[in-house]
Amino acid sequence: MLATSDSSFLGKHKLQIWKKIGEGSFSKVYLTKVGDAEDKNPTMIATKVINKNRVSSKFVEKFLPRELDVLVKLKHPYIVQAMCVSLQVFSVFQNGYKIYINMEFAENGDLFTHLHNTVMNESQIRSWLLQILWAFIYMHTMGVVHRDLKCENILLTSNYNVRIADFGFARFVDRGRNPGADTLCGTMTYSSPELLFGKRPYNPVVADVWAIGVVLYMMANNMAPFRDKTKEEIHKKQVSSNIAMHTNKKRRRVGKWTLGRSRPLINLTATFLEPDYVKRTKLKNALQHSWVREGNIKTPVDVITANESDRAINSNPIITQTSLKVPAFHYHLSEYGKTISKINEGFTAMDKSEI
């Protein structure tokens, strides 16, 4: 049964709960309809509701204000142009002890679920990797690190473009220096060797690069690269530098599919999953890798413009700990609307009979 308080509160803002599409220990996500109930062609958005009474005081005072401030400041042109690569947030409301984040709805779920049903070809992998790289180059240029990238946090639009989501552990860093961080964040499967067992502070930028490598591996293999029950055993496998991927000459069965990957893709993956963070690839270098370039995918003009920006966004926070002490706090960024999502020509949806 839907929470009456949520329905009532959102209804005052002309937002109607359609159904619940996700729930965690301290939050839930609704598919929400914008406008009048009689509208036959409504705009649908996702509304994330965070219950502050179910989280620690540290989360409320530190991580939540930081997440909201990052979300409202990231303004990559792909959010409003073709093939968006970052999740668009429309508004943030507070109703007593609940925070409502109204954001774009990604119709095709998340990458983790997608990989349970589909084996991707290399053209599809390349298309999504580029979108992820463009998004993270922009974020790092703007002085933001994500620190919790995983397949569950990569959402998919109706036209199979990616949206980077969940900035709960994101933070601002000083650009042009060694940005140090001390807090252990993220999921163990995606954590870099220096994050698991390195000295503090660690460099969160290169930790993001490692996580992208894990995502790339999973897109190519439909499984995680380093699997074990303890972080000690995962760390041993990470530092062994033994990336187990099968070439086209030695193919591997995954369910009803047979996998085999090209040597250039395997080599590129290894540059992301380099255990020595000093030698790990830079994102802009990855864009120039032979496997990426062989796709002949042109960088859109708006991506070039955004990713060459040198504008830092870590000053003058919009949403702060003080803001969230105001019971009726409200911040509106833009009008609710359908984001233009161009057909991703690098992605060809498989026939449903093959899934």
Side-chain angles (χ1 to χ4, degrees):
M1 181 177 179
L2 296 178
T4 303
S5 58
D6 292 337
S7 298
S8 176
F9 175 73
L10 291 171
K12 295 177 182 179
H13 295 274
K14 295 187 177 180
L15 299 173
Q16 301 164 28
I17 293 177
W18 198 257
K19 63 179 179 178
K20 184 165 64 178
I21 56 177
E23 186 168 10
S25 58
F26 61 86
S27 66
K28 61 187 71 173
V29 180
Y30 296 121
L31 179 61
T32 307
K33 178 181 177 181
V34 178
D36 299 327
E38 297 76 19
D39 190 349
K40 295 182 179 180
N41 187 28
T43 295
M44 306 301 293
I45 64 173
T47 299
K48 181 177 181 179
V49 185
I50 299 174
N51 187 329
K52 295 195 294 182
N53 287 345
R54 296 183 181 177
V55 296
S56 67
S57 58
K58 181 178 180 181
F59 178 87
V60 174
E61 295 172 3
K62 180 179 179 181
F63 289 106
L64 182 57
R66 184 188 286 170
E67 174 185 9
L68 297 176
D69 199 47
V70 168
L71 281 173
V72 301
K73 285 181 175 178
L74 287 179
K75 293 178 171 59
H76 197 287
Y78 261 51
I79 295 174
V80 295
Q81 299 293 326
M83 296 198 306
C84 300
V85 293
S86 290
L87 193 68
Q88 180 172 4
V89 174
F90 298 112
S91 61
V92 177
F93 303 146
Q94 182 163 232
N95 180 28
Y97 59 88
K98 289 185 177 181
I99 299 287
Y100 296 79
I101 308 173
N102 298 301
M103 64 189 85
E104 181 185 358
F105 173 55
E107 296 90 335
N108 276 315
D110 61 71
L111 178 58
F112 183 81
T113 303
H114 181 81
L115 292 177
H116 272 287
N117 302 315
T118 307
V119 168
M120 298 167 62
N121 63 46
E122 293 198 11
S123 294
Q124 296 166 350
I125 295 171
R126 182 182 294 110
S127 171
W128 282 354
L129 175 64
L130 273 169
Q131 293 186 7
I132 294 167
L133 291 177
W134 288 330
F136 271 82
I137 288 173
Y138 166 74
M139 281 190 279
H140 290 173
T141 300
M142 294 296 101
V144 174
V145 288
H146 190 282
R147 300 201 296 176
D148 193 25
L149 180 69
K150 53 187 175 183
C151 291
E152 294 91 329
N153 291 342
I154 299 175
L155 306 182
L156 308 174
T157 72
S158 59
N159 285 327
Y160 291 97
N161 295 295
V162 305
R163 300 287 197 275
I164 306 300
D166 200 340
F167 287 80
F169 289 119
R171 59 164 288 185
F172 299 105
V173 295
D174 292 331
R175 302 177 306 154
R177 301 168 59 187
N178 182 12
D182 294 293
T183 305
L184 181 64
C185 298
T187 305
M188 190 164 60
T189 301
Y190 297 83
S191 295
S192 62
E194 70 275 7
L195 185 56
L196 287 181
F197 276 99
K199 295 180 179 179
R200 303 291 186 269
Y202 65 92
N203 186 329
V205 172
V206 294
D208 274 353
V209 173
W210 176 278
I212 293 173
V214 175
V215 170
L216 175 58
Y217 183 99
M218 292 180 71
M219 286 195 291
N221 293 273
N222 294 74
M223 64 175 64
F226 310 106
R227 302 176 300 282
D228 219 299
K229 295 181 179 179
T230 68
K231 70 176 183 179
E232 290 82 5
E233 291 302 317
I234 289 177
H235 186 258
K236 286 180 183 179
K237 293 178 179 180
Q238 289 176 333
V239 299
S240 70
S241 298
N242 182 21
I243 308 299
M245 290 178 65
H246 296 278
T247 63
N248 288 321
K249 293 182 179 180
K250 189 177 181 181
R251 302 171 74 86
R252 176 177 65 84
R253 293 285 296 178
V254 175
K256 65 176 82 171
W257 298 288
T258 301
L259 277 184
R261 297 306 183 189
S262 67
R263 177 59 61 183
L265 173 55
I266 295 173
N267 291 341
L268 172 61
T269 305
T271 67
F272 282 96
L273 299 179
E274 165 58 54
D276 184 346
Y277 69 88
V278 176
K279 297 179 181 178
R280 198 169 300 154
T281 188
K282 304 291 190 297
L283 296 185
K284 289 185 177 180
N285 291 344
L287 288 177
Q288 301 304 316
H289 190 276
S290 61
W291 181 82
V292 174
R293 291 173 65 87
E294 75 180 55
N296 294 317
I297 299 176
K298 294 183 179 180
T299 307
V301 174
D302 46 6
V303 169
I304 295 173
T305 301
N307 288 355
E308 288 184 349
S309 172
D310 60 357
R311 176 179 58 86
I313 60 174
N314 58 349
S315 60
N316 300 322
I318 296 172
I319 297 179
T320 65
Q321 179 183 344
T322 302
S323 303
L324 299 185
K325 290 182 179 179
V326 179
F329 174 79
H330 173 206
Y331 184 78
H332 201 88
L333 288 87
S334 63
E335 294 304 314
Y336 304 111
K338 295 179 180 180
T339 303
I340 299 172
S341 181
K342 186 178 179 181
I343 294 175
N344 184 350
E345 296 179 357
F347 185 92
T348 303
M350 295 182 64
D351 189 293
K352 293 297 182 182
S353 64
E354 299 179 32
I355 297 178

